[in-house]
Amino acid sequence: MPKFRQLVESVNNAISEERLNIGDHLPSVNQVCKEYNLSRDTVFKAYSLLKEQGVVESVPNKGYFIAKEIRRVFLFLDTFKAYKEVLYDSFFKNLPKNVIADVHFHHYKPDVFRKQIEESIGKYAKYVIMPFDHPSIPDTLNLLPEEKLLLIDWNIYSTPTNNVLYQDFGEPVLVELEKILHLIRKYEKFVFVYPEYTNHPYDSVQYFKKFCRKHRVKHEVLYDSSQFDVEKGVAYISVSDRILGRFLEQTREKNLEPGKDVGFISYNETPMKKFIYKGITVISTDFRMLGRKAAEFVANDAPMRVCVPTTIHIRESL
């Protein structure tokens, strides 16, 4: 990081940690140059950028002082996929102007998860974290102040006193599938494609099975993605967009029409799924709401325990 950026970061961090407050004076340009062996251009560039951001103001003959409070937020997601972009965009659009958010990704790696959190301790006003299923996660989360922490997307390893903003991967799957039972009955079999590489919670598969047993729907769960082969008269549901791509590819090769010869339900809405083919039927939580509510937690100091609804969006693919 360039030295002027380091200086900007250090001032923002000091404000976030309340070592600097509104009205406090910053050292003069000459003082910073001397103490940290920096050029006048470097320090002046940093102070000018802070002025541009509205963080500091300058008064002739009096120097620079803190003009507004800056809060830094740690946003920790699993991976960056199309539906996460919706969450990300909604989160940033709804943040107060005095909040700076740093985004990190753990890619479901426990060592990365712990290292990033250890390095973040004490640097942020709030922590918005997407956990995953691994026995080391609770101990890592315990390193952070509970009142500053919001667990999002998956309600796993949370305590009754944790702040949580999550989707339910279980019961709503059954409830929403019941709304389209008449469409599923058009097909001879209903197959859940749960590929070996997914990190999607297994709850969805369990409630898919409950739905099928309850309504006597012939069903199957396919775990090996290499065995995925589209058959006429079968409806598919999958948590992987890779499988959706293969489904559309195979229907074209086999001259099968989605919604008539075969059916497909995709998990997790993205901006493009309503336009792919003639529209892909989707079961999904509201990622815009997820992002908006996460930003609300950052802006306020009130506790939060919210389950974001999951709904089905019926389109031509079924």
Side-chain angles (χ1 to χ4, degrees), residues 10-63:
S10 68
V11 171
N12 283 330
N13 283 337
I15 296 169
S16 180
E17 295 162 17
E18 299 182 350
R19 291 184 285 111
L20 283 174
N21 298 294
I22 294 174
D24 286 354
H25 278 82
L26 290 176
S28 68
V29 172
N30 288 338
Q31 189 179 340
V32 177
C33 289
K34 185 177 178 182
E35 191 169 341
Y36 295 100
N37 194 27
L38 298 172
S39 70
R40 282 184 60 82
D41 283 349
T42 296
V43 181
F44 189 74
K45 192 173 182 179
Y47 279 16
S48 297
L49 185 55
L50 287 165
K51 273 185 71 175
E52 238 177 75
Q53 294 173 348
V55 176
V56 304
E57 289 183 10
S58 62
V59 177
N61 303 319
K62 289 190 177 180

Side-chain angles (χ1 to χ4, degrees), residues 177 180-182 184-191 208-220 235:
L177 288 179
I180 56 168
L181 178 61
H182 63 291
I184 292 167
R185 289 206 187 280
K186 293 195 318 180
Y187 302 94
E188 297 165 21
K189 188 166 69 168
F190 195 17
V191 176
F208 161 83
K209 289 178 180 178
K210 283 185 182 181
F211 162 79
C212 293
R213 287 194 295 263
K214 179 179 177 181
H215 297 285
R216 298 182 180 180
V217 172
K218 185 181 178 183
H219 64 283
E220 178 189 340

Side-chain angles (χ1 to χ4, degrees), residues 166-168 172 176 284-287 289-290 306-311:
Y166 64 99
Q167 58 173 307
D168 186 342
E176 296 304 304
S284 180
T285 194
D286 186 340
F287 288 104
M289 181 180 176
L290 204 63
V306 174
C307 181
V308 179
T310 293
T311 53

Side-chain angles (χ1 to χ4, degrees), residues 117-162:
I117 285 182
E118 284 178 340
E119 291 177 355
S120 76
I121 293 170
K123 294 182 180 177
Y124 296 92
K126 293 286 178 72
Y127 297 82
V128 179
I129 294 177
M130 193 174 284
F132 61 101
D133 191 6
H134 190 274
S136 69
I137 300 303
D139 284 343
T140 303
L141 292 174
N142 285 336
L143 297 172
L144 298 171
E146 194 174 69
E147 71 280 1
K148 292 184 177 183
L149 172 63
L150 176 68
L151 301 176
I152 63 167
D153 195 42
W154 192 359
N155 188 17
I156 187 170
Y157 299 127
S158 70
T159 69
T161 53
N162 276 138

Side-chain angles (χ1 to χ4, degrees), residues 94-133:
N94 288 282
L95 283 178
K97 289 183 179 179
N98 67 328
V99 171
I100 297 172
D102 294 337
V103 188
H104 300 267
F105 300 93
H106 55 67
H107 301 286
Y108 301 97
K109 296 180 179 177
D111 54 338
V112 173
F113 189 84
R114 188 171 184 94
K115 185 173 185 289
Q116 293 272 23
I117 285 182
E118 284 178 340
E119 291 177 355
S120 76
I121 293 170
K123 294 182 180 177
Y124 296 92
K126 293 286 178 72
Y127 297 82
V128 179
I129 294 177
M130 193 174 284
F132 61 101
D133 191 6

